[in-house]
Amino acid sequence: MPPIISRGFRGRNRDDAPSDRVPPGQYVTRDFPVLSAGPTQHTPLDQWDFTIVGEVDEPNRWTWEELRALPSEEVTVDIHCVTKWTKLDTVWEGVSIDTLLDGIETSAEYVVQFSDGGYTTNLPLEDLTGGKAWLALGYGGETLEPEHGGPARMLVPHLYFWKSAKWVRGLRLVATDEPGFWETNGYNNYGDPWREQRYSGD
Ligand SMILES: Nc1nc2c(c(=O)[nH]1)N[C@H]1C(S)=C(S)[C@@H](COP(=O)(O)O)O[C@H]1N2
Ligand SMILES: [Mo]
């Protein structure tokens, strides 16, 4: 993008949003862009499940109905895509990952989120615990649209949004970190927007 356009965007958005809400290099959008590396997935709900596998005593599995029966919460968070858009005050309905991990014993320190369509993304387990991450089933008071990852997607808003897998089907708990789809294609392994960790080496 030519520098002059980039300057214009930044100038306008500084007026729109408090700067402590907008990480470096990001601009604020009111749209909700769709970013998918492959086709939108449409797994029928009667064939859908969510599993937690890997370094666990036994695999844990929820059907769609079982997942819907778990306590969920409304969360309002800002999301930051590495392509530089930030969307403020997005409202989701989701099951806390703490709820899903409750009672699961593991020695794993890393997690691979895996999705229908083959997308994966990795992160430390501690980035999914302590009220920082959700399995989102709703957005803006509606069920989650397929384009945005429905029926269920991860929501890990403190990291760049590629760390929030759409069409997610489970978490694999692993002892050793395993870079996922974008992480093996030049993007940063951790992806903290406040430290502008966009690419490998940032
Ligand atoms: N399964 C899957 N999840 C994904 C992606 C993808 O291509 N496939 N793209 C990621 C990226 S780069 C972003 S910015 C967000 C986009 O979510 P949205 O389309 O709801 O805006 O999803 C993330 N999760
Ligand atoms: Mo993204």
Side-chain angles (χ1 to χ4, degrees):
M1 189 183 282
I4 190 148
I5 295 176
S6 174
R7 264 202 302 279
F9 264 77
R10 275 205 291 274
R12 198 164 66 228
N13 288 302
R14 246 201 313 270
D15 301 335
D16 282 348
S19 59
D20 64 352
R21 300 277 297 277
V22 186
Q26 297 290 109
Y27 68 88
V28 174
T29 182
R30 286 175 206 277
D31 302 332
F32 194 173
V34 170
L35 275 100
S36 305
T40 295
Q41 301 296 308
H42 297 278
T43 299
L45 289 179
D46 62 3
Q47 292 165 33
W48 189 95
D49 64 6
F50 188 85
T51 58
I52 298 182
V53 298
E55 301 275 322
V56 289
D57 288 343
E58 51 196 60
N60 298 266
R61 177 177 182 267
W62 295 264
T63 64
W64 177 250
E65 293 305 324
E66 288 167 341
L67 187 72
R68 292 287 312 277
L70 295 176
S72 67
E73 56 198 54
E74 187 182 275
V75 286
T76 301
V77 292
D78 303 338
I79 54 179
H80 313 290
C81 174
V82 74
T83 63
K84 301 200 168 179
W85 56 267
T86 281
K87 188 169 175 58
L88 302 176
D89 294 320
T90 60
V91 182
W92 305 81
E93 188 73 25
V95 176
S96 171
I97 302 303
D98 295 307
T99 301
L100 296 172
L101 288 173
D102 189 34
I104 295 181
E105 299 276 324
T106 183
S107 57
E109 292 186 17
Y110 299 93
V111 179
V112 179
Q113 308 169 25
F114 57 89
S115 297
D116 284 328
Y119 187 85
T120 56
T121 186
N122 62 302
L123 71 182
L125 176 58
E126 67 180 12
D127 284 86
L128 292 183
T129 59
K132 292 192 290 292
W134 295 267
L135 180 57
L137 312 179
Y139 174 78
E142 311 281 343
T143 57
L144 186 59
E145 299 279 349
E147 289 71 19
H148 288 298
R153 76 172 299 159
M154 293 293 291
L155 176 63
V156 191
H158 69 284
L159 300 177
Y160 282 124
F161 209 31
W162 90 76
K163 294 286 187 178
S164 296
K166 306 200 286 189
W167 314 297
V168 69
R169 291 292 300 277
L171 305 176
R172 193 153 51 84
L173 308 191
V174 290
T176 312
D177 198 13
E178 285 179 30
F181 177 76
W182 287 119
E183 294 84 1
T184 51
N185 280 284
Y187 285 82
N188 192 269
N189 194 53
Y190 184 64
D192 179 352
W194 295 98
R195 290 188 280 165
E196 218 174 342
Q197 294 174 334
R198 298 178 191 277
Y199 307 109
S200 148
D202 284 349

